[in-house]
Amino acid sequence: DRPALPRAAPRLSSAAAAAARSDAGDSTDLSDAAPSPRDFLAAVRAVASHLWPRGPSSRSYPHRLRLLFSLALLVGAKAVLVRVPFVLKAAVDALAAPAARAAAAPAALCATYALSRVLYTAMQELRYLAFTPVGQEAVRSFARTSFALVHGLGEPFLAQASTGETAQDLSRANRAFAVLVRLLLFNVLPTVLEVALVLRLMALRYDRMFPLAAGGMAAVFVAWTLRVSEVRARVQSRLNREENLLSSATFNSLVNHEAVAWFGREAFEVARYDAILARIARANADAVRVVSALNMGQVILFASALSALLGASCARVATGAMTIGDVSAVNGAMLQILAPLTSLSYTYQELRQAVVDVEPALALRRPAAAAARR
């Protein structure tokens, strides 16, 4: 048997550990357990430390300037985007103006609406161009540091540990870190910023009911999505285990077909194969049910909040407190809140897996590993 890894060594990745447990007859998959909030925070801190390196190195100044420029473009792009519904509101209100004003004003406002979309896209693309060297340098720094730390563990660890498994863990951790950088900077942060800006604009223009209802919808939407996504991850993990078992059973049965035929075990092998197929069918059905529940819950939450806000807007239009353009603006603002939240389930699952995969490399940076290198 291979010697146990020392405490300072990176732990087995989830995939490698699951394979080892499967070989031992244990079907429990480590990916069933969600990363703790502490694991998520550790991953975020690792991303931040490599995006904003410490020290007065001359190489870090252009790096930091690019990062600040990218963040400024992000804020500017979102500020432009969240005002788009209110530009459309002004165009709708202009259409209701007297005929003397209705000729040129709506056309100019509609052009402004289209140009706002173009400006937003241009700022987004410029942000990608500015940030790409920063992100690539952060990934490179993370990978280089992890590789150096493994070498620093010394000969005892490198002689005992599985070289192939260690290399696989490092490679997976490097890919996971790149995923974390992409998700945090291009998905999570923009989503939080966009929702906050939309709620702020609604608070400035309308009474408190509007931002409170929209913010409450967003909070419940996120909670529901994360809860169901955890269930979905467990179902997917079960499906993966059964598919791996099916592949293993198929391979072993066909490789040993002479022994199977000699002992007359063909019916047994077919029955075992069919039992695995039945479990896979049930897991696939469960996966479809979970996705359906996720989608229906999201639609019900959004439609309920949208109906309530549009109903309140129409009531205020009847009393003269709001205009027809405001109804359009409220609808557009709610759609802007919904747009980044629709991909939340996918983002969370990717983020969840990336946190699990990056853990072996983060373990190298902890005090126990530092003590082992000394």
Side-chain angles (χ1 to χ4, degrees):
D1 293 337
R2 183 167 55 85
L5 296 178
R7 285 185 61 195
R11 71 182 187 185
L12 285 173
S13 65
S14 59
R21 295 166 69 91
S22 177
D23 292 342
D26 188 347
S27 62
T28 302
D29 191 340
L30 294 181
S31 63
D32 283 348
S36 67
R38 181 178 299 178
D39 294 331
F40 279 102
L41 289 176
V44 171
R45 283 196 298 268
V47 170
S49 66
H50 287 278
L51 285 176
W52 192 272
R54 296 180 180 179
S57 171
S58 60
R59 293 181 59 189
S60 67
Y61 291 119
H63 185 98
R64 293 177 181 179
L65 288 175
R66 277 183 172 272
L67 179 59
L68 292 175
F69 182 57
S70 301
L71 293 176
L73 287 172
L74 169 63
V75 174
K78 293 302 180 183
V80 170
L81 181 65
V82 299
R83 292 184 177 277
V84 168
F86 298 97
V87 174
L88 186 59
K89 161 202 158 21
V92 172
D93 287 340
L95 288 172
R101 294 178 52 198
L109 288 169
C110 287
T112 303
Y113 175 83
L115 288 175
S116 298
R117 292 285 183 181
V118 173
L119 179 60
Y120 168 74
T121 302
M123 295 178 75
Q124 284 285 84
E125 295 300 324
L126 185 57
R127 178 168 69 94
Y128 296 146
L129 291 174
F131 180 78
T132 296
V134 179
Q136 291 298 317
E137 181 59 31
V139 174
R140 174 191 172 193
S141 172
F142 178 84
R144 181 180 63 243
T145 303
S146 300
F147 188 67
L149 290 174
V150 170
H151 270 288
L153 289 172
E155 185 62 29
F157 165 75
L158 295 175
Q160 293 178 2
S162 169
T163 304
E165 184 181 293
T166 302
Q168 186 181 41
D169 280 353
L170 285 178
S171 177
R172 186 180 292 110
N174 294 339
R175 292 195 302 270
F177 185 82
V179 171
L180 286 170
V181 171
R182 174 176 57 82
L183 291 178
L184 292 175
L185 271 297
F186 291 106
N187 195 301
V188 176
L189 181 60
T191 297
V192 172
L193 180 61
E194 183 171 349
V195 172
L197 288 175
V198 171
L199 294 178
R200 176 61 177 165
L201 276 177
M202 293 179 75
L204 291 174
R205 291 174 176 267
Y206 308 118
D207 58 60
R208 288 185 301 174
M209 189 204 78
F210 287 86
L212 287 177
M217 183 279 297
V220 177
F221 190 102
V222 169
W224 170 256
T225 301
L226 297 185
R227 178 69 184 91
V228 179
S229 294
E230 276 299 325
V231 177
R232 184 182 181 185
R234 289 196 293 270
V235 172
Q236 185 62 45
S237 177
R238 175 159 58 94
L239 179 60
N240 291 342
R241 287 198 304 271
E242 296 297 343
E243 288 179 343
N244 290 339
L245 186 59
L246 180 68
S247 177
S248 176
T250 304
F251 179 82
N252 291 334
S253 182
L254 294 179
V255 165
N256 298 293
H257 68 279
E258 292 182 353
V260 171
W262 177 266
F263 290 100
R265 303 288 285 177
E266 292 92 341
F268 172 81
E269 291 294 320
V270 172
R272 184 174 67 161
Y273 188 85
D274 184 61
I276 299 173
L277 289 175
R279 293 198 297 271
I280 290 176
R282 288 195 295 270
N284 276 314
D286 290 342
V288 172
R289 282 193 288 269
V290 170
V291 172
S292 297
L294 173 65
N295 293 336
M296 285 302 301
Q298 289 178 338
V299 169
I300 291 171
L301 287 170
F302 177 74
S304 300
L306 182 63
S307 299
L309 290 182
L310 289 182
S313 300
C314 292
R316 284 164 174 76
V317 170
T319 62
M322 293 175 66
T323 65
I324 296 177
D326 285 316
V327 178
S328 172
V330 169
N331 181 68
M334 290 296 291
L335 290 175
Q336 280 197 328
I337 292 176
L338 175 67
L341 296 180
T342 53
S343 62
L344 181 61
S345 179
Y346 169 79
T347 300
Y348 174 70
Q349 297 217 40
E350 288 284 299
L351 194 62
R352 181 184 189 271
Q353 189 59 49
V355 170
V356 172
D357 290 344
V358 83
E359 168 60 22
L362 296 183
L364 292 168
R365 292 155 169 80
R366 296 192 181 120
R373 286 191 293 273
R374 291 195 297 269

